[in-house]
Amino acid sequence: MARRNLIAGNWKMNNTIGEAVVLAQEISNKFYPDWLDKVDVAVCPPSVDLKPVVNVFEFDHLKIGVGAQNVYWEEKGAFTGEISVGMLREIGCVYCIVGHSERRNLFAETNEDVNKKVRALIAGKIKPIVCVGESLAVRDAGTYLEFVTAQVRAAFAGVDAFEAKDAVVAYEPVWAIGTGRTATPEQAEEVCAAVRATLAELFGAETADGMRVLYGGSMNEGNAELLLAEPDIDGGLIGGASLKAASFVEIVKAAM
Ligand code: PGA
């Protein structure tokens, strides 16, 4: 099956509203709308920037998707500091990153939390971008395929094929995030293929064939093309390089 690439920018905790609007406008100015016939594109700004960024793309009639970086699984109530799926949907979010390694490592997010968020997002019709990936210690121990596929199984526990089909998985080796040390195309493909095989076990080959598996970790305009040429890599989750409009747009071009 021909899967369409997805290039998603993860802005992390960068850009005030003013800066976010400028960056979104710069991306929009460099963008030809017909690119979106060939590739899906999204940006994931901090939550306070979501609505202003949605407004920029709506004003320009550009179907770049906007995604959140986190969500809470309860609908409403006494959960100080958290944001619900319904709140994100009303803003116009199409995607939400879940289980990024920074959330797992710095904010103690567990596989169970990730699963609750994935299920809440699917129920609320927002596409989860589920991040998985091993630390350097796990890579060096040689158990990275078991580790990553166990994260995938845990994230999708209790989810059926129909519910899973629009979800996205992003393989992001922790040792490659923000380090400038990208996985080689072969290293990334090995794990992305194992992720797809796990999705096939969970949901059947046809559903797994249609689901997107992204690579993330120091992807940039210099290495995107080779990574995206791999059969099981269907796009990228881009951190640092998504903060410069020119770099981000070059990666989008490499994905067409
Ligand atoms: P990076 O981040 O591209 O800066 O390595 C990727 C990510 O954490 O999603």
PDB file of all heavy atoms in Angstrom, residues 150-181:
ATOM      1  N   ALA A 150       7.645  -3.713  22.804  1.00  0.00           N
ATOM      2  CA  ALA A 150       6.850  -3.774  24.043  1.00  0.00           C
ATOM      3  C   ALA A 150       6.183  -2.427  24.306  1.00  0.00           C
ATOM      4  O   ALA A 150       5.021  -2.365  24.762  1.00  0.00           O
ATOM      5  CB  ALA A 150       7.738  -4.170  25.230  1.00  0.00           C
ATOM      6  N   GLN A 151       6.869  -1.329  24.005  1.00  0.00           N
ATOM      7  CA  GLN A 151       6.246  -0.006  24.157  1.00  0.00           C
ATOM      8  C   GLN A 151       5.042   0.135  23.217  1.00  0.00           C
ATOM      9  O   GLN A 151       4.019   0.709  23.593  1.00  0.00           O
ATOM     10  CB  GLN A 151       7.265   1.108  23.846  1.00  0.00           C
ATOM     11  CG  GLN A 151       8.284   1.349  24.954  1.00  0.00           C
ATOM     12  CD  GLN A 151       9.209   2.500  24.581  1.00  0.00           C
ATOM     13  OE1 GLN A 151       9.618   2.640  23.418  1.00  0.00           O
ATOM     14  NE2 GLN A 151       9.565   3.314  25.554  1.00  0.00           N
ATOM     15  N   VAL A 152       5.184  -0.381  22.001  1.00  0.00           N
ATOM     16  CA  VAL A 152       4.080  -0.303  21.033  1.00  0.00           C
ATOM     17  C   VAL A 152       2.881  -1.104  21.546  1.00  0.00           C
ATOM     18  O   VAL A 152       1.743  -0.621  21.546  1.00  0.00           O
ATOM     19  CB  VAL A 152       4.524  -0.823  19.644  1.00  0.00           C
ATOM     20  CG1 VAL A 152       3.333  -0.921  18.686  1.00  0.00           C
ATOM     21  CG2 VAL A 152       5.614   0.078  19.057  1.00  0.00           C
ATOM     22  N   ARG A 153       3.130  -2.330  22.000  1.00  0.00           N
ATOM     23  CA  ARG A 153       2.031  -3.170  22.514  1.00  0.00           C
ATOM     24  C   ARG A 153       1.326  -2.486  23.685  1.00  0.00           C
ATOM     25  O   ARG A 153       0.097  -2.474  23.773  1.00  0.00           O
ATOM     26  CB  ARG A 153       2.574  -4.513  23.008  1.00  0.00           C
ATOM     27  CG  ARG A 153       2.928  -5.467  21.915  1.00  0.00           C
ATOM     28  CD  ARG A 153       3.516  -6.766  22.506  1.00  0.00           C
ATOM     29  NE  ARG A 153       4.344  -7.405  21.518  1.00  0.00           N
ATOM     30  CZ  ARG A 153       3.874  -8.084  20.490  1.00  0.00           C
ATOM     31  NH1 ARG A 153       2.568  -8.242  20.364  1.00  0.00           N
ATOM     32  NH2 ARG A 153       4.673  -8.602  19.596  1.00  0.00           N
ATOM     33  N   ALA A 154       2.114  -1.922  24.588  1.00  0.00           N
ATOM     34  CA  ALA A 154       1.531  -1.269  25.770  1.00  0.00           C
ATOM     35  C   ALA A 154       0.700  -0.052  25.359  1.00  0.00           C
ATOM     36  O   ALA A 154      -0.395   0.177  25.880  1.00  0.00           O
ATOM     37  CB  ALA A 154       2.632  -0.857  26.741  1.00  0.00           C
ATOM     38  N   ALA A 155       1.204   0.720  24.406  1.00  0.00           N
ATOM     39  CA  ALA A 155       0.499   1.945  23.995  1.00  0.00           C
ATOM     40  C   ALA A 155      -0.866   1.622  23.407  1.00  0.00           C
ATOM     41  O   ALA A 155      -1.821   2.386  23.570  1.00  0.00           O
ATOM     42  CB  ALA A 155       1.345   2.718  22.980  1.00  0.00           C
ATOM     43  N   PHE A 156      -0.968   0.481  22.701  1.00  0.00           N
ATOM     44  CA  PHE A 156      -2.213   0.153  21.999  1.00  0.00           C
ATOM     45  C   PHE A 156      -3.044  -0.911  22.720  1.00  0.00           C
ATOM     46  O   PHE A 156      -3.966  -1.467  22.121  1.00  0.00           O
ATOM     47  CB  PHE A 156      -1.899  -0.289  20.567  1.00  0.00           C
ATOM     48  CG  PHE A 156      -1.477   0.848  19.665  1.00  0.00           C
ATOM     49  CD1 PHE A 156      -0.145   1.027  19.328  1.00  0.00           C
ATOM     50  CD2 PHE A 156      -2.415   1.745  19.174  1.00  0.00           C
ATOM     51  CE1 PHE A 156       0.246   2.075  18.504  1.00  0.00           C
ATOM     52  CE2 PHE A 156      -2.034   2.795  18.349  1.00  0.00           C
ATOM     53  CZ  PHE A 156      -0.693   2.965  18.012  1.00  0.00           C
ATOM     54  N   ALA A 157      -2.750  -1.196  23.968  1.00  0.00           N
ATOM     55  CA  ALA A 157      -3.540  -2.200  24.701  1.00  0.00           C
ATOM     56  C   ALA A 157      -5.014  -1.787  24.709  1.00  0.00           C
ATOM     57  O   ALA A 157      -5.339  -0.622  24.977  1.00  0.00           O
ATOM     58  CB  ALA A 157      -3.016  -2.320  26.133  1.00  0.00           C
ATOM     59  N   GLY A 158      -5.886  -2.718  24.376  1.00  0.00           N
ATOM     60  CA  GLY A 158      -7.320  -2.436  24.406  1.00  0.00           C
ATOM     61  C   GLY A 158      -7.837  -1.653  23.214  1.00  0.00           C
ATOM     62  O   GLY A 158      -8.994  -1.235  23.194  1.00  0.00           O
ATOM     63  N   VAL A 159      -6.983  -1.445  22.202  1.00  0.00           N
ATOM     64  CA  VAL A 159      -7.389  -0.703  20.995  1.00  0.00           C
ATOM     65  C   VAL A 159      -7.579  -1.719  19.870  1.00  0.00           C
ATOM     66  O   VAL A 159      -6.754  -2.625  19.719  1.00  0.00           O
ATOM     67  CB  VAL A 159      -6.290   0.322  20.609  1.00  0.00           C
ATOM     68  CG1 VAL A 159      -6.630   1.033  19.309  1.00  0.00           C
ATOM     69  CG2 VAL A 159      -6.079   1.332  21.741  1.00  0.00           C
ATOM     70  N   ASP A 160      -8.657  -1.582  19.088  1.00  0.00           N
ATOM     71  CA  ASP A 160      -8.842  -2.533  17.984  1.00  0.00           C
ATOM     72  C   ASP A 160      -8.367  -1.925  16.659  1.00  0.00           C
ATOM     73  O   ASP A 160      -7.990  -0.757  16.595  1.00  0.00           O
ATOM     74  CB  ASP A 160     -10.292  -3.040  17.916  1.00  0.00           C
ATOM     75  CG  ASP A 160     -11.292  -1.963  17.510  1.00  0.00           C
ATOM     76  OD1 ASP A 160     -10.898  -0.993  16.827  1.00  0.00           O
ATOM     77  OD2 ASP A 160     -12.480  -2.085  17.876  1.00  0.00           O
ATOM     78  N   ALA A 161      -8.405  -2.749  15.620  1.00  0.00           N
ATOM     79  CA  ALA A 161      -7.832  -2.332  14.329  1.00  0.00           C
ATOM     80  C   ALA A 161      -8.535  -1.102  13.773  1.00  0.00           C
ATOM     81  O   ALA A 161      -7.888  -0.178  13.273  1.00  0.00           O
ATOM     82  CB  ALA A 161      -7.917  -3.488  13.331  1.00  0.00           C
ATOM     83  N   PHE A 162      -9.860  -1.067  13.887  1.00  0.00           N
ATOM     84  CA  PHE A 162     -10.593   0.073  13.339  1.00  0.00           C
ATOM     85  C   PHE A 162     -10.184   1.364  14.053  1.00  0.00           C
ATOM     86  O   PHE A 162     -10.009   2.418  13.427  1.00  0.00           O
ATOM     87  CB  PHE A 162     -12.107  -0.168  13.472  1.00  0.00           C
ATOM     88  CG  PHE A 162     -12.921   0.950  12.914  1.00  0.00           C
ATOM     89  CD1 PHE A 162     -13.069   1.109  11.540  1.00  0.00           C
ATOM     90  CD2 PHE A 162     -13.519   1.874  13.758  1.00  0.00           C
ATOM     91  CE1 PHE A 162     -13.801   2.167  11.020  1.00  0.00           C
ATOM     92  CE2 PHE A 162     -14.260   2.935  13.242  1.00  0.00           C
ATOM     93  CZ  PHE A 162     -14.393   3.074  11.874  1.00  0.00           C
ATOM     94  N   GLU A 163     -10.005   1.259  15.375  1.00  0.00           N
ATOM     95  CA  GLU A 163      -9.632   2.455  16.153  1.00  0.00           C
ATOM     96  C   GLU A 163      -8.190   2.881  15.881  1.00  0.00           C
ATOM     97  O   GLU A 163      -7.844   4.060  15.938  1.00  0.00           O
ATOM     98  CB  GLU A 163      -9.790   2.158  17.650  1.00  0.00           C
ATOM     99  CG  GLU A 163     -11.223   1.919  18.067  1.00  0.00           C
ATOM    100  CD  GLU A 163     -11.339   1.319  19.467  1.00  0.00           C
ATOM    101  OE1 GLU A 163     -10.438   0.552  19.887  1.00  0.00           O
ATOM    102  OE2 GLU A 163     -12.327   1.615  20.131  1.00  0.00           O
ATOM    103  N   ALA A 164      -7.338   1.889  15.596  1.00  0.00           N
ATOM    104  CA  ALA A 164      -5.899   2.172  15.479  1.00  0.00           C
ATOM    105  C   ALA A 164      -5.500   2.735  14.127  1.00  0.00           C
ATOM    106  O   ALA A 164      -4.432   3.336  14.000  1.00  0.00           O
ATOM    107  CB  ALA A 164      -5.112   0.885  15.734  1.00  0.00           C
ATOM    108  N   LYS A 165      -6.354   2.581  13.124  1.00  0.00           N
ATOM    109  CA  LYS A 165      -5.868   2.769  11.758  1.00  0.00           C
ATOM    110  C   LYS A 165      -5.323   4.176  11.462  1.00  0.00           C
ATOM    111  O   LYS A 165      -4.427   4.320  10.638  1.00  0.00           O
ATOM    112  CB  LYS A 165      -6.923   2.364  10.732  1.00  0.00           C
ATOM    113  CG  LYS A 165      -8.169   3.224  10.715  1.00  0.00           C
ATOM    114  CD  LYS A 165      -9.130   2.692   9.656  1.00  0.00           C
ATOM    115  CE  LYS A 165     -10.363   3.517   9.452  1.00  0.00           C
ATOM    116  NZ  LYS A 165     -10.739   4.517  10.429  1.00  0.00           N
ATOM    117  N   ASP A 166      -5.835   5.199  12.149  1.00  0.00           N
ATOM    118  CA  ASP A 166      -5.347   6.565  11.887  1.00  0.00           C
ATOM    119  C   ASP A 166      -4.241   6.998  12.842  1.00  0.00           C
ATOM    120  O   ASP A 166      -3.724   8.111  12.742  1.00  0.00           O
ATOM    121  CB  ASP A 166      -6.497   7.567  11.975  1.00  0.00           C
ATOM    122  CG  ASP A 166      -7.484   7.375  10.829  1.00  0.00           C
ATOM    123  OD1 ASP A 166      -7.037   7.002   9.725  1.00  0.00           O
ATOM    124  OD2 ASP A 166      -8.691   7.588  11.044  1.00  0.00           O
ATOM    125  N   ALA A 167      -3.892   6.125  13.781  1.00  0.00           N
ATOM    126  CA  ALA A 167      -2.820   6.478  14.721  1.00  0.00           C
ATOM    127  C   ALA A 167      -1.471   6.406  14.018  1.00  0.00           C
ATOM    128  O   ALA A 167      -1.299   5.704  13.021  1.00  0.00           O
ATOM    129  CB  ALA A 167      -2.846   5.530  15.918  1.00  0.00           C
ATOM    130  N   VAL A 168      -0.527   7.154  14.542  1.00  0.00           N
ATOM    131  CA  VAL A 168       0.827   7.229  13.984  1.00  0.00           C
ATOM    132  C   VAL A 168       1.790   6.785  15.081  1.00  0.00           C
ATOM    133  O   VAL A 168       1.561   7.077  16.258  1.00  0.00           O
ATOM    134  CB  VAL A 168       1.141   8.691  13.573  1.00  0.00           C
ATOM    135  CG1 VAL A 168       2.547   8.833  13.024  1.00  0.00           C
ATOM    136  CG2 VAL A 168       0.100   9.209  12.577  1.00  0.00           C
ATOM    137  N   VAL A 169       2.823   6.055  14.702  1.00  0.00           N
ATOM    138  CA  VAL A 169       3.883   5.703  15.656  1.00  0.00           C
ATOM    139  C   VAL A 169       5.154   6.424  15.224  1.00  0.00           C
ATOM    140  O   VAL A 169       5.470   6.462  14.032  1.00  0.00           O
ATOM    141  CB  VAL A 169       4.127   4.175  15.699  1.00  0.00           C
ATOM    142  CG1 VAL A 169       5.267   3.835  16.665  1.00  0.00           C
ATOM    143  CG2 VAL A 169       2.851   3.437  16.114  1.00  0.00           C
ATOM    144  N   ALA A 170       5.864   7.017  16.166  1.00  0.00           N
ATOM    145  CA  ALA A 170       7.144   7.658  15.847  1.00  0.00           C
ATOM    146  C   ALA A 170       8.256   6.928  16.600  1.00  0.00           C
ATOM    147  O   ALA A 170       8.245   6.904  17.844  1.00  0.00           O
ATOM    148  CB  ALA A 170       7.115   9.135  16.232  1.00  0.00           C
ATOM    149  N   TYR A 171       9.160   6.337  15.847  1.00  0.00           N
ATOM    150  CA  TYR A 171      10.331   5.708  16.474  1.00  0.00           C
ATOM    151  C   TYR A 171      11.404   6.766  16.669  1.00  0.00           C
ATOM    152  O   TYR A 171      11.928   7.332  15.698  1.00  0.00           O
ATOM    153  CB  TYR A 171      10.874   4.562  15.607  1.00  0.00           C
ATOM    154  CG  TYR A 171      12.243   4.113  16.080  1.00  0.00           C
ATOM    155  CD1 TYR A 171      12.437   3.709  17.411  1.00  0.00           C
ATOM    156  CD2 TYR A 171      13.346   4.114  15.230  1.00  0.00           C
ATOM    157  CE1 TYR A 171      13.687   3.331  17.865  1.00  0.00           C
ATOM    158  CE2 TYR A 171      14.604   3.731  15.679  1.00  0.00           C
ATOM    159  CZ  TYR A 171      14.769   3.343  17.001  1.00  0.00           C
ATOM    160  OH  TYR A 171      16.010   2.987  17.464  1.00  0.00           O
ATOM    161  N   GLU A 172      11.703   7.056  17.929  1.00  0.00           N
ATOM    162  CA  GLU A 172      12.691   8.081  18.255  1.00  0.00           C
ATOM    163  C   GLU A 172      13.706   7.520  19.246  1.00  0.00           C
ATOM    164  O   GLU A 172      13.446   7.521  20.461  1.00  0.00           O
ATOM    165  CB  GLU A 172      12.004   9.293  18.877  1.00  0.00           C
ATOM    166  CG  GLU A 172      10.978   9.947  17.991  1.00  0.00           C
ATOM    167  CD  GLU A 172      10.784  11.408  18.354  1.00  0.00           C
ATOM    168  OE1 GLU A 172      10.475  11.683  19.521  1.00  0.00           O
ATOM    169  OE2 GLU A 172      10.979  12.265  17.490  1.00  0.00           O
ATOM    170  N   PRO A 173      14.823   7.011  18.748  1.00  0.00           N
ATOM    171  CA  PRO A 173      15.842   6.531  19.683  1.00  0.00           C
ATOM    172  C   PRO A 173      16.320   7.687  20.563  1.00  0.00           C
ATOM    173  O   PRO A 173      16.654   8.760  20.050  1.00  0.00           O
ATOM    174  CB  PRO A 173      16.962   6.021  18.768  1.00  0.00           C
ATOM    175  CG  PRO A 173      16.688   6.574  17.410  1.00  0.00           C
ATOM    176  CD  PRO A 173      15.244   6.933  17.336  1.00  0.00           C
ATOM    177  N   VAL A 174      16.300   7.489  21.871  1.00  0.00           N
ATOM    178  CA  VAL A 174      16.588   8.588  22.797  1.00  0.00           C
ATOM    179  C   VAL A 174      17.992   9.141  22.553  1.00  0.00           C
ATOM    180  O   VAL A 174      18.226  10.345  22.664  1.00  0.00           O
ATOM    181  CB  VAL A 174      16.406   8.106  24.259  1.00  0.00           C
ATOM    182  CG1 VAL A 174      16.730   9.213  25.247  1.00  0.00           C
ATOM    183  CG2 VAL A 174      14.981   7.626  24.483  1.00  0.00           C
ATOM    184  N   TRP A 175      18.913   8.260  22.162  1.00  0.00           N
ATOM    185  CA  TRP A 175      20.304   8.685  21.922  1.00  0.00           C
ATOM    186  C   TRP A 175      20.445   9.570  20.686  1.00  0.00           C
ATOM    187  O   TRP A 175      21.501  10.157  20.462  1.00  0.00           O
ATOM    188  CB  TRP A 175      21.226   7.467  21.818  1.00  0.00           C
ATOM    189  CG  TRP A 175      20.694   6.364  20.944  1.00  0.00           C
ATOM    190  CD1 TRP A 175      19.893   5.334  21.337  1.00  0.00           C
ATOM    191  CD2 TRP A 175      20.900   6.187  19.544  1.00  0.00           C
ATOM    192  NE1 TRP A 175      19.579   4.529  20.266  1.00  0.00           N
ATOM    193  CE2 TRP A 175      20.194   5.029  19.150  1.00  0.00           C
ATOM    194  CE3 TRP A 175      21.627   6.900  18.572  1.00  0.00           C
ATOM    195  CZ2 TRP A 175      20.184   4.563  17.846  1.00  0.00           C
ATOM    196  CZ3 TRP A 175      21.613   6.437  17.265  1.00  0.00           C
ATOM    197  CH2 TRP A 175      20.901   5.276  16.912  1.00  0.00           C
ATOM    198  N   ALA A 176      19.385   9.673  19.881  1.00  0.00           N
ATOM    199  CA  ALA A 176      19.457  10.488  18.662  1.00  0.00           C
ATOM    200  C   ALA A 176      18.710  11.809  18.802  1.00  0.00           C
ATOM    201  O   ALA A 176      18.765  12.648  17.908  1.00  0.00           O
ATOM    202  CB  ALA A 176      18.887   9.701  17.485  1.00  0.00           C
ATOM    203  N   ILE A 177      18.000  11.997  19.926  1.00  0.00           N
ATOM    204  CA  ILE A 177      17.157  13.195  20.057  1.00  0.00           C
ATOM    205  C   ILE A 177      17.977  14.379  20.541  1.00  0.00           C
ATOM    206  O   ILE A 177      18.563  14.341  21.622  1.00  0.00           O
ATOM    207  CB  ILE A 177      15.980  12.940  21.020  1.00  0.00           C
ATOM    208  CG1 ILE A 177      15.047  11.888  20.421  1.00  0.00           C
ATOM    209  CG2 ILE A 177      15.232  14.230  21.307  1.00  0.00           C
ATOM    210  CD1 ILE A 177      13.892  11.514  21.316  1.00  0.00           C
ATOM    211  N   GLY A 178      18.020  15.409  19.716  1.00  0.00           N
ATOM    212  CA  GLY A 178      18.702  16.644  20.084  1.00  0.00           C
ATOM    213  C   GLY A 178      20.208  16.504  20.217  1.00  0.00           C
ATOM    214  O   GLY A 178      20.882  17.409  20.710  1.00  0.00           O
ATOM    215  N   THR A 179      20.750  15.378  19.782  1.00  0.00           N
ATOM    216  CA  THR A 179      22.178  15.116  19.962  1.00  0.00           C
ATOM    217  C   THR A 179      22.982  15.342  18.685  1.00  0.00           C
ATOM    218  O   THR A 179      24.198  15.362  18.718  1.00  0.00           O
ATOM    219  CB  THR A 179      22.405  13.649  20.368  1.00  0.00           C
ATOM    220  OG1 THR A 179      21.854  12.811  19.337  1.00  0.00           O
ATOM    221  CG2 THR A 179      21.745  13.327  21.688  1.00  0.00           C
ATOM    222  N   GLY A 180      22.271  15.466  17.552  1.00  0.00           N
ATOM    223  CA  GLY A 180      22.965  15.544  16.274  1.00  0.00           C
ATOM    224  C   GLY A 180      23.418  14.172  15.798  1.00  0.00           C
ATOM    225  O   GLY A 180      23.976  14.029  14.711  1.00  0.00           O
ATOM    226  N   ARG A 181      23.186  13.146  16.630  1.00  0.00           N
ATOM    227  CA  ARG A 181      23.597  11.791  16.256  1.00  0.00           C
ATOM    228  C   ARG A 181      22.371  11.047  15.703  1.00  0.00           C
ATOM    229  O   ARG A 181      21.601  10.463  16.449  1.00  0.00           O
ATOM    230  CB  ARG A 181      24.155  11.085  17.503  1.00  0.00           C
ATOM    231  CG  ARG A 181      24.689   9.717  17.202  1.00  0.00           C
ATOM    232  CD  ARG A 181      25.246   9.056  18.452  1.00  0.00           C
ATOM    233  NE  ARG A 181      25.254   7.622  18.256  1.00  0.00           N
ATOM    234  CZ  ARG A 181      25.482   6.733  19.208  1.00  0.00           C
ATOM    235  NH1 ARG A 181      25.721   7.131  20.438  1.00  0.00           N
ATOM    236  NH2 ARG A 181      25.474   5.462  18.935  1.00  0.00           N
TER     237      ARG A 181
END
